[in-house]
């Protein structure tokens, strides 16, 4: 099995992260399944202080935020790097309002994907 992808930490220090074992516990999976989710681009991870982690905002009470994998796919198809995707998802957008990652948790989730498909930067 190949190694899983992990990005440089381009996120603000204020972004809460969950180490992969905590992600696995939260989702009720073994950690190797989380590695597969990273390889399949269902999640994105960063390395902060030597620990590979996933942003906590990528989850809700049900698990992975419903529209996140689709958003990642749209942006990967447009040839954006994981770092660029993370930066865009966590950058304030006054027209949403807030950050795209916050909008994924509400009624503007489809709008976030539409904007990503149109031109995120």
């Amino acid at each position: 099995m190949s190694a899983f992808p992990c990005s440089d930490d381009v996120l603000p220090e204020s972004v809460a992260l969950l180490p992969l074992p905590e992600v696995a516990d939260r989702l009720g999976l073994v950690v190797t399944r989380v590695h597969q989710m990273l390889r399949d681009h269902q999640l994105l991870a960063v390395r902060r202080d030597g620990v590979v982690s996933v942003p906590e905002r990528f989850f809700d009470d049900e698990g992975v935020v419903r529209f996140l994998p689709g958003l990642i796919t749209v942006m990967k198809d447009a040839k954006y790097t994981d770092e660029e995707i993370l930066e865009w998802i966590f950058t304030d957008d006054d027209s949403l309002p807030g950050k795209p990652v916050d909008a994924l948790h509400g009624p503007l989730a489809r709008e976030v994907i539409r904007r990503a498909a149109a031109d995120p930067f």
Side-chain angles (χ1 to χ4, degrees), residues 12 17 25 37 40-42 44 48 55 57 59 62 65 67 71 83 85 97 107 117-118 120:
L17 299 175
D25 286 345
M37 292 174 77
D40 292 343
H41 307 293
Q42 294 175 328
L44 297 173
R48 182 180 286 172
R57 290 295 290 155
F59 304 95
E62 305 296 317
V65 173
F67 293 99
L71 175 62
E83 289 84 3
I85 295 169

Side-chain angles (χ1 to χ4, degrees), residues 4-8 45-48 51-53 82-83:
F4 55 87
C6 177
S7 301
D8 293 332
V46 298
R47 185 179 306 276
R48 182 180 286 172
V51 178
V52 178
S53 303
D82 290 354
E83 289 84 3

